[in-house]
Every structure is written in structure tokens, then in C-alpha cells.
Amino acid sequence: MERICNRIFLGILLAVVLAVPAGVALWGRHQTTAYYENRALAQLPEVTAQALLDGSFGTEAESWYADHIPGRTTLLMLDTFVQMDVLRRPVVNDTVVGGDVLVPFLSFKEWTAADYAANAGPISQDYGHLSDYVEENGGTLYFVGIPEQRIYFEDTFPDYLNNHATEAEAADSIFFAALKEQGVSCIDMGAIYDAQGHPDTYYSAVDHHYNYYGAYAAYRAILETLEEDGWDLPVLTEEDLTFEELPNPYIGSRNRKLYNLWPNEDKAIIATQKDPVAFTRTDEGEPSDKPLFILPAAEDLPTTYNLYMGGDFGETVLETHRPELPDVLIVGDSFTNALETLLYASFDETRILDLRHYTQCSLKDYIGQYQPDIVLCVQNDTFYYTTTGNGAVWTD
Amino acid sequence: MAFHSMVFLYGFLPAVILCYFLLPARWRTGRNCILLIFSLGFYAWGGIWALPVLLASCAVNCLAGLGCAPGRPWGRAVYWCGVGVNIAALAYYKYTGFFLENLQALGMEVTIPSIVLPAGISFFTFQAVAYLTDVRRGTIPPERNPGKLTLFMVFFPQLLQGPILRYGAFAPALDDRRENSSAAAQGATRFCFGLAKKVLLADALGTIADAAFSSGDRLTVALAWLGAIAYSLQLYFDFSGYTDMAIGLGRIFGLPIPENFCYPYAAVSVTDFWRRWHQTLSFWFRDYVYIPLGGNRCSRRRQVVNLAAVWLLTGLWHGAAWTFVLWGGYYALLLMGEKFLWGRGLARLPMPVRRLYAVLAAVVGWVIFRSADLAQAGAMLQGMFGFAPGGLWSGEAAYYLLQFRWELLVAIPACLPVKVWLEEQLRRGAEQGRRLQAVVLALGPKVLVFGLLGWSSVRLLSSTFRSFLYFQF
């Protein structure tokens, strides 16, 4: 009996360990992306003498194999469920799951104010150079700082975790002070949101961006600043817009890390213009018929923040063919996407650059070429001190 | 290749098992060849560059073994040459950088070359020295078949992290062994339990240890203790998990791999701890260093020197750093203390006090062992004993306790002989005719295997890869 039992046990175990390579060969190897992890799967490495000699072939092959295990996404989803709902860990997949909103798990290590002060100088000098250059080309530069969701909801972190609130406050104030010293006009949306009562409704509970209400508040704050500076621009008021909560499930970047398993009622919001401002659009230099909001085909299909303008592009140009209005250049990452759907209506030509993806020329050359009347550098506050991507604003 | 990689679990392992068992059992040499080829492939997976070092070691020891047997002309010289070549290779790869760094620290202008350590060199070198010594002593005959000696040196389950084999115990099974379903089932079960120890416990606990040891000015008393305890548990489950996997694989192929651990955190003294922790290394030092130096059968002063020498070498074997030297010295002092000063008094204390003493001594030792340098060791120990820059308690400590509470709750009883006690209870119940207990005893571990293998695999997919801790030694 024991012998039979052992043989059955060994047979099943062998079948299990053989099923995996068979599954990889039949199905797994065809997959190329991991949607929930927001990354491309590892590629099968090339067999070269050097790779075999130094062991890099083995390392890369292990990554490829682990990435292409059949049912990998389902297994990881199951693991996330167990970690979150059975073991009830406070942090799952680097996301804090205990509160009313999802925020990222942050390192306990903090930068000091002195660290920020040391970095703020050279970075603000770059913005100073850029501001001077924009002025030389007949325009004005504005820096628009927007709090990231984790900063906006810093009070929702459990007491035992580090929300970096003190650090963020110091970093922001040092940065804006340095920009002002360089003569750069600044719009600090953190302060503006606070003055408006810091409404919870401005930000998503499951995504690192603001939602459309937060974007609209930013839009109004930008236009008020421009008006104060003498620009006479048409404004989309609340009466001009119909705000609408989409019925579709909304997959935010934070909940995406949790395989969308965190229960929530968050919905994507859009605002349609009652009297729409017509536009033509080009993306990456090619004519595009994409609308301002890319809506799912059915109500039960999920949507993401990418619904605004269809996500990130290196360069997008929106023309409203109203030469009496000024031209604007918006530089920034995905935080600009929701803003763009509103801002374009106040300008003749709206050029949008995401320097993470735009590689054709430097921002300086781009400004020299198109000479926009207004340049808006839109950054979320976790990227104020970055000097790459959209932080690479100046090259001599 | 690591045992806890998908390529090993779901590629290499089924391949070697299929190739091995598809050959008829009577083709013993063929089966040994399969193991040899796969073992060399296993080693080469990490980079073919290291393979010549391993093969050269095998060749040198095979020839030296033939030449150093008792009665052979120049046998003694050949033996010492063989041992010298082994130690020189180990010294070159492992200690050159350390030696030159210290010369540099003394103000000498030296260039420190970048030398990559061939994986497992500490283990296969010690096995080779043991083989030559046993041959020289006449305990075992020299092996004339280079294939068998090479398989002994490179057998993949123990190649990278031991346990340290002895040829006398291993060689008979190369010619005469009987693989059977009972041993294979036991081996597979042990392998999966070892995998779970590594992946589900050690890796999670390692996160706490890493955080505590790198906390710097944030270190609190609570975090220091949590980190020290977590590292002590991590090291145990990491290394004993690997050992379980090695022993399990050995059983599947019918080859004996010795035990390496016997619930070390249940020890009643430091001396007892070292009878239970990394037993094959302790036995190696006892048989090939301590006893040849005179062991206990000499003056007290000589015994002190012998103990100090053994523990200095033990420390250095684990790594080329002053923290390892300090760690060896720490144990030398404790063992001398137990031998000559407080050992008898300790034996009269109540058992819980003795166990607490032993486990505290081990935890403090692991703090020295884990620290990147003497300054970090000092900071951690100061923190543990009340002088932490961050005070008594911090949110960071609370977070790690909360986040890894399940691992801590399972790890603490699992490092004590609770399993032995449980098995005994079930066995007793089964003998008394209780069917449920008999079923649990017979099928429980086998059912658990599937859960542990599945869960470990999923955790491997979702977590950053962490190599075995003893891999670096």
C-alpha cells in the first residue's frame, strides 16, 4: 500500500514539474507583455560564446523562463489575493492597502532639507536659463507644480509608515523658493488645492494622478494666473462643461499593481464641452483623428487614466485655427494629459511635449523653432528634482 | 543555477530525473555519467569560465590521491603538495583581495585585482582536502576511476553549498545503491519542505534583516533586536532549507548526503550549538585541523591555541573580512569559557536558562557575522543593548512586525523540534490504532508538498530573486 501511495505521489509530482515546461513550450512563450506589471516580458536570450562564458545567458534565460510560465498572471493574482485578503498584510506589491485610498509603500529613509537645498540650486538655474530663453523668443515660462496622489493623501498613511510629509514639504518649499529666485513664474497647485479646502474629490483613490476635478481646478488656476498677467483668453467655465462619471470600472496605477483586486468605487471622470472647440490633431508628426477622451466600447470594459488624450506621446499638436489667440507649449508627463483636454480650448495652437519620449531635438531648439507665447512646464512634485525626462529642460 | 529558480525546478530537475531513471538500474555507470554530465551543466550554467577551475581541482586531487596513498614513494610530499594546491587556489580566489586591501590600509601602494570567486570553491576544496587526508591516513583507498572522484566533487545537490561530503561515506553508493520509491518520495518531500523554508520563510525574514542592518541613524532597540532575530532565523532557514533540498535530491538518486543541522536553536550551550549547526563543517575542522593539532589531549595552553586556530580558520572560511575574524574569535572565547570557566556552572542551571543563553550567544554572533564591517556590528550590538540612535521603538519596527508576522509566527516554532514532537504524537496515536492520526502521518507531508511547492513557486514568480546566503561563502 505504501509503495503504491509513494508511486502515485511521485507520478503526480513528476507530472506537475513536467507540465510547466510543456506549458511554456505550447503557450507561455508566445506572450510578450505583463499588463498588470506594466512591463514587457523578458526575451529569450541569444546563445553567444560570451554569454555562456560569463553566465549572463543563464541569468537571462531564467528571467525569460520565469516570465513565460503558463498561467503566470493568474498565479500572481492569486498570490496577491492571498497576501491582501487572507494574510492581511498592510503592504502588498509595494502598495499600502489598509486605508481608504491606495498609496505606495515608501522607504523609511528620507532626504534631508540640506540634500534638497544642494540640488535645488542647479535645477532651478536650468529653469532660469529656460525662462530667459523663452522670453528671448517672445514668450513667458510658467512652472506648474502638481502634488502626486501620495502627497495629496499623505494623511492616509498608517502612523507606523513613513509618508515623507515633512520631507515633501521641505522639498517643495525649497524648490519653489529657488525657482522664484531665478525669476521663474510658478503655480503651486498644492497650495491652491489647500486654499480650496483640500477636497478629497480632486484625486483618485486608486491612481497616482489627480482625477478630472483636480485637473479642472489646475486648469482654472493656470488661466487665472495668465489673466492676472494680462492674457485675455477664453475660459471653459463649469457652465460650459458637462461633468460625467463614466460607468466603466477604473483601473488606476495603484490598483493595477494589485491586479485590480482592491475593492473600490473609483470612476473615471470626463467633461464634455457644451459648445465644443473644434481642433485638428497630430501625434508624433502624423495627423490623428483621436478625440480628447478615448472611451471604452462598452460600459463593462475597464478604463484607465490613458483615456485622456489616449495616453502619452512624445509630441502632440492641437490646432484650433483661431489666430487671434496665443500659442502654448505644454511640457510634462502624464499629468498634462487631462489638462490638455481643457487647455487647448483657450489657445490657437497647443503643442505638447513629453521629454521622456520626444527625442528629435532639445526643448531649447523646439522653443527656438516654434516660439510659443506661453510655455507651461507641468511637473508632479515627486519629479521636481529629477534632471532626466521632463526634468531635462535645459542643455547648453 | 539555484535550486529555487524556475529553470531548476521546472527544467533542469525533471530533465535529470527523466534521463537518470530512463536508464535501467543495472547500468550503474550510465546513471553515474548522467549525474556527472548534469552536474557539470549545473555548474556551467552560472558561467563556463569557472568550470576549468573545478575540473582542474578534480584532476589535481585525483592524481594527488593516487600518489599520496600510504606506502607510495614520496606519498607524504605528494599529499602536502595536493593540500597546498587546494589551499593555494582557495587563498587566491577568496583572500587575495582581502590581503591586498589590508596592505593598502597599512599605507602600501598595491593594486587590488578584481577576482571573481568560483561558486562553491570553499566546499569542493574542503571535500578534496578531506579526501586526500583520508587517503593519506589509509582510511580509504585512493580512487582510480577519475569519473567517480569527479562525481563526488561535482555532484550537483551539494556542489555549491555542501553539506561537505566524505568520500568514504559517498563512494560505496556509487557502485552499489538501490533507488526506490520510498526513498524517492521521502527525498521529494524533503526537497519541497526545504524549498519552502528558503522561499517562504528565509527570504521574507531577510527583508527585515536587510532593513535593520541598513537602518543607520533610524536604528531603534526594537529594530535592532528584530533584525538580529530575523537574520538568525533567515540564516537557519536559508541554509537548512538548502541542506534539506540537497539531502532530498541525494535520496532521489540513492546517494547519501549527510545531515547538517539538528535544531541548533534548541542548544543548551554554545558547544552544543556547534554540534548542531553546520555539522559537516564542524566535523571537518575537528577531524582535519583540531585533532591533528593535538585536540584535547594536550596541555590547557595548547588546547587554547588549538581552539583559537580552529575558530580563526572557521571565521575566515566563511569570508574574507575582519567581521568574520571577529566572529571566529567570539566563538573561540565562548567555547574556551565553556570548556575552562563556566561550563560546569552552566550545566547546573535550569534548562530554559541554558537554552536562552545559547540562543542569545548565537544571535549576537550572527549580528557580527552579518555586519558589513566592524562599525556596523558595533552599531547593531549597541542598539540591541539599549544604545540605539533612534530610541526604543519606531514605526519601522512596527511595520516589519506587522508585515511579516506570519513568517515570524511560523519560523519560531519551526526552528525548534516541534515537528519531531508532532511526528511522535502522530506515530503514537497511529500505533494505538487511531486511523486519523495514521492517515495524517502517512499522507499529511505528501499533501503539504503540493501546497508548499505551488506556493513557493508563486512567491518565486512574484518576488525578487534572492540567492542562498551560504552561496557567497
Side-chain angles (χ1 to χ4, degrees), chain B residues 153-170:
Chain B
M153 295 269 286
V154 306
F155 183 43
F156 74 88
Q158 54 75 53
L159 173 58
L160 300 180
Q161 282 184 226
I164 299 167
L165 302 180
R166 309 231 187 164
Y167 196 63
F170 188 80

Side-chain angles (χ1 to χ4, degrees), chain A residues 2 5-6, chain B residues 426 430 436-447:
Chain A
E2 191 191 338
C5 184
N6 283 332
Chain B
L426 289 170
L436 178 66
Q437 290 177 347
V439 170
V440 170
L441 188 65
L443 296 180
K446 292 186 175 68
V447 173

Side-chain angles (χ1 to χ4, degrees), chain A residues 1-155:
Chain A
M1 182 63 189
E2 191 191 338
R3 198 170 156 186
I4 294 169
C5 184
N6 283 332
R7 290 194 168 184
I8 292 171
F9 166 70
L10 290 169
I12 296 172
L13 200 57
L14 191 61
V16 168
V17 293
L18 284 173
V20 173
V24 171
L26 290 172
W27 303 293
R29 69 194 174 95
H30 301 301
Q31 291 170 357
T32 55
T33 54
Y35 168 75
Y36 288 102
E37 293 161 82
N38 197 21
R39 69 177 178 91
L41 296 176
Q43 291 189 328
L44 190 62
E46 273 184 48
V47 183
T48 64
Q50 182 59 33
L52 291 171
L53 194 68
D54 63 21
S56 59
F57 174 80
T59 310
E60 288 170 27
E62 279 174 14
S63 298
W64 175 84
Y65 196 69
D67 268 4
H68 292 81
I69 297 289
R72 183 174 178 278
T73 301
T74 309
L75 292 170
L76 291 178
M77 193 181 277
L78 179 69
D79 181 58
T80 303
F81 168 76
V82 170
Q83 304 297 325
M84 194 165 66
D85 292 333
V86 180
L87 300 177
R88 297 203 164 269
R89 295 198 201 271
V91 176
V92 178
N93 299 351
D94 289 331
T95 306
V96 182
V97 294
D100 295 332
V101 300
L102 293 177
V103 283
F105 172 68
L106 303 174
S107 158
F108 287 91
K109 190 181 176 187
E110 282 192 1
W111 280 29
T112 64
D115 295 330
Y116 284 112
N119 287 310
I123 293 169
S124 64
Q125 276 174 13
D126 283 353
Y127 280 101
H129 292 311
L130 183 70
S131 178
D132 294 343
Y133 188 71
V134 171
E135 274 182 32
E136 280 170 29
N137 284 274
T140 311
L141 172 75
Y142 293 87
F143 181 89
V144 185
I146 297 172
E148 217 241 50
Q149 182 252 21
R150 72 169 170 84
I151 309 276
Y152 196 78
F153 286 135
E154 63 192 13
D155 293 340

